[in-house]
Amino acid sequence: MSCPLNHSAELNPAVLPLDWLLGTWQSDEPGEGSFPSISPFRYTETLHFSHVGQPVINFMFNASHAESKKPLHRECGFIRLQPGTNKVAFIIAQNSGLVEIEEGELTGQQLTLHSTSLARTSFAKQPYVQQISRHIQLKPGGRLEQTVFMALEGQPLTQHLHITYRRTD
């Protein structure tokens, strides 16, 4: 599934500070996933960041198991900037039935986010996610790096995912 850039629409000035994200990114090596309650795993992921001229960036993240290629985690949503500030919000829907809002700051080409609101389907799998933090940064050399921290019921905020990507378009 792809989210091509809309080259016919001009990028809304409200999201110009996020233009470095636009495009398709593919993990250049498998990422590492772990958490105290699961076995460590390796995964690949494709990120699509696009726009249609509105004051938001659209995104879709698709992860697969590195060895079996079985689809894993899916996230899609929108990124908004509070006008006149460096405050940023991710509005995210996940294939697990979790919906979240993460808010934080944009500093140069670095995003630091923390969940402010979590909701889930009535039949979501337990233990429930209690908190998520995310750090996305464009590194020297053009690689994008993402680290995700997660807390579950009875488990403190712990690094869950770490991966780097290269732009493919």
Side-chain angles (χ1 to χ4, degrees), residues 73 75 92 94 96 98-103 112-118 120 128-135 146-152 157-158 160-161:
H73 196 82
E75 296 182 358
I92 304 170
Q94 299 185 22
S96 63
L98 182 67
V99 178
E100 61 176 299
I101 295 174
E102 295 178 12
E103 294 185 18
T112 303
L113 303 149
H114 307 283
S115 57
T116 59
S117 182
L118 297 172
R120 63 189 54 81
Y128 296 141
V129 173
Q130 300 295 308
Q131 185 181 4
I132 295 177
S133 292
R134 183 182 311 257
H135 183 80
Q146 179 173 217
T147 306
V148 177
F149 297 82
M150 181 173 68
L152 301 180
L157 195 62
T158 304
H160 175 47
L161 304 170

Side-chain angles (χ1 to χ4, degrees), residues 42-44 64-72:
R42 292 168 15 103
Y43 67 103
T44 59
S64 299
H65 191 276
E67 286 78 34
S68 72
K69 309 299 183 215
K70 177 182 172 186
L72 296 172

Side-chain angles (χ1 to χ4, degrees), residues 2 8 20 46 48 94-95 100-101 104 118 124 142 145 149 165:
S2 83
S8 63
W20 53 276
T46 302
H48 300 284
Q94 299 185 22
N95 63 332
E100 61 176 299
I101 295 174
L118 297 172
E145 179 181 64
F149 297 82
Y165 313 88

